[in-house]
Amino acid sequence: MLTNGAIWRDTDGNIIHAHGGHMLFAQGYYYWYGENRTNDTYVSVYRSTDLMHWEYRGDALTTGSKTDSYRVRTDTSLVNARGGKINIERPKVLYNGKTGKYVMWMHVENGIDYHQAACGVAVSDTPDGAFTYLGCFNPFGEMSRDCTLFQEEDGSAYFISAARDNADLVIYRLSEDYLNIDVAVQRLFQGEYREAPALVKREGIYYLFTSFCTGWDPNQCRYATAKAIEGPWSMLTDIGDATTFDTQPAFFLTVQESGNIYYVSDRWNGKDYHDSRYVILPLTFDDQARPQLSFTDRITIV
Ligand code: DGJ
């Protein structure tokens, strides 16, 4: 059993740093990727078979990761103009069945100011990396900040990110190899400043959860629904309490065997980023397919 908001440790006894993260089921394991801002690391990866005990598998992306430029012009710098670390947030990873590659998308800032607002891409032959960084860019010139990835059953995939200084949220379909953006399919919530997108599909309905934009401070999570990813999307509805139990969405976890869905979130510590914690809550649905989220101190993921 895990205690929500407590310090969570890996099987070596070290603190788990997988903030703003994502999980992928591959080769019989759940892989948990997330931000790790210690030392030269950007993204760490852990794996588990029971979703309770996490083995540290290494750093998927660091200041010293290999870089390669892909067909679009990207900025492949992993250190900034001052020689310091850039800022990598909300890494998400999908497996591409056509290319056999693991593809990571993330939010990239230059570590000096917050104006780059770019999306970054990295690729690996194995789920636990090391990943090769293919650089960052602004999709069709758009700003791109908080983001998520979503994969359909047919293998098509979507990248969703906050644009126009976070005022809008754009849904992009990825190219077949997941290494580039193909087309923007929808622009949502214009002027509503939604961030931290997390998307799950259940029984033909898409549920898109987002937070409001208040830096590291928690706020009211809201969700919209659609029957197709392109929309039409519903208006936003509140879920959870006014601070979403002091959390911000990271991603949804759907358990392979049970099909149970969990809301996986960050409880940020704005004063000491490294002491940010995790909260995982079951996402349930009423008889009209409306999602329900309530707080529980202790959680067993089944
Ligand atoms: C909220 C975002 O959701 C986080 O990923 C991070 O960018 C913080 N803002 C920074 O203030």
Side-chain angles (χ1 to χ4, degrees):
M1 205 173 256
L2 295 166
T3 301
N4 277 322
I7 289 176
W8 292 2
R9 293 183 184 275
D10 64 21
T11 49
D12 295 326
N14 297 314
I15 292 173
I16 296 179
H17 287 294
H19 311 288
H22 195 220
M23 280 182 201
L24 172 72
F25 185 75
Q27 303 176 353
Y29 292 93
Y30 293 90
Y31 286 86
W32 186 6
Y33 305 87
E35 297 168 24
N36 179 353
R37 298 192 185 186
T38 63
N39 307 314
D40 288 342
T41 305
Y42 288 126
V43 179
S44 285
V45 51
Y46 301 82
R47 76 176 185 189
S48 176
T49 49
D50 63 5
L51 292 156
M52 308 292 284
H53 300 88
W54 292 95
E55 176 197 356
Y56 169 70
R57 295 291 296 168
D59 296 331
L61 210 62
T62 68
T63 54
S65 286
K66 269 206 289 189
T67 64
D68 193 7
S69 23
Y70 190 57
R71 61 175 181 259
V72 288
R73 185 176 298 179
T74 60
D75 174 356
T76 54
S77 330
L78 282 165
V79 289
N80 63 30
R82 295 183 190 156
K85 282 178 82 177
I86 60 167
N87 206 358
I88 287 186
E89 297 189 345
R90 297 184 177 270
K92 315 289 168 195
V93 180
L94 295 179
Y95 175 68
N96 186 305
K98 287 202 171 122
T99 62
K101 306 268 187 201
Y102 295 83
V103 183
M104 181 187 296
W105 283 68
M106 67 208 91
H107 168 201
V108 180
E109 298 287 348
N110 61 21
I112 296 169
D113 55 39
Y114 215 63
H115 304 321
Q116 192 163 6
C119 56
V121 186
V123 66
S124 169
D125 292 331
T126 57
D128 34 14
F131 281 70
T132 299
Y133 184 57
L134 302 182
C136 70
F137 63 99
N138 293 95
F140 301 121
E142 296 277 3
M143 296 173 91
S144 180
R145 290 205 179 109
D146 277 17
C147 60
T148 196
L149 283 177
F150 181 79
Q151 190 176 44
E152 294 283 15
E153 290 92 346
D154 69 2
S156 56
Y158 294 82
F159 177 70
I160 303 175
S161 73
R164 203 165 62 93
D165 249 325
N166 298 338
D168 313 332
L169 200 67
V170 182
I171 304 180
Y172 304 94
R173 193 177 63 229
L174 296 184
S175 55
E176 259 189 27
D177 59 10
Y178 298 176
L179 298 182
N180 198 0
I181 274 165
D182 186 6
V183 62
V185 300
Q186 184 55 279
R187 200 168 184 112
L188 292 173
F189 316 140
Q190 96 81 28
E192 301 219 33
Y193 291 85
R194 305 307 297 176
E195 58 177 11
L199 178 59
V200 67
K201 185 179 179 183
R202 175 186 173 269
E203 295 178 3
I205 302 177
Y206 297 81
Y207 298 85
L208 177 58
F209 282 46
T210 53
S211 74
F212 186 48
C213 225
T214 51
W216 298 114
D217 296 333
N219 58 59
Q220 175 75 63
C221 186
R222 309 186 80 192
Y223 73 93
T225 60
K227 293 206 170 108
I229 199 159
E230 294 85 357
W233 283 86
S234 71
M235 304 268 290
L236 290 159
T237 303
D238 289 356
I239 188 154
D241 67 7
T243 63
T244 323
F245 318 112
D246 295 329
T247 72
Q248 191 182 29
F251 62 96
F252 287 105
L253 161 68
T254 303
V255 179
Q256 292 292 308
E257 301 76 18
S258 63
N260 290 336
I261 300 170
Y262 291 86
Y263 164 85
V264 185
S265 64
D266 296 288
R267 182 172 280 174
W268 299 112
N269 181 340
K271 294 201 182 76
D272 178 5
Y273 169 87
H274 302 287
D275 192 34
S276 297
R277 311 282 176 87
Y278 315 100
V279 171
I280 300 184
L281 302 172
L283 189 75
T284 56
F285 295 84
D286 70 11
D287 55 10
Q288 288 177 62
R290 285 180 302 219
Q292 317 284 320
L293 194 67
S294 43
F295 189 73
T296 164
D297 266 327
R298 314 256 282 158
I299 179 94
T300 304
I301 304 171
V302 286

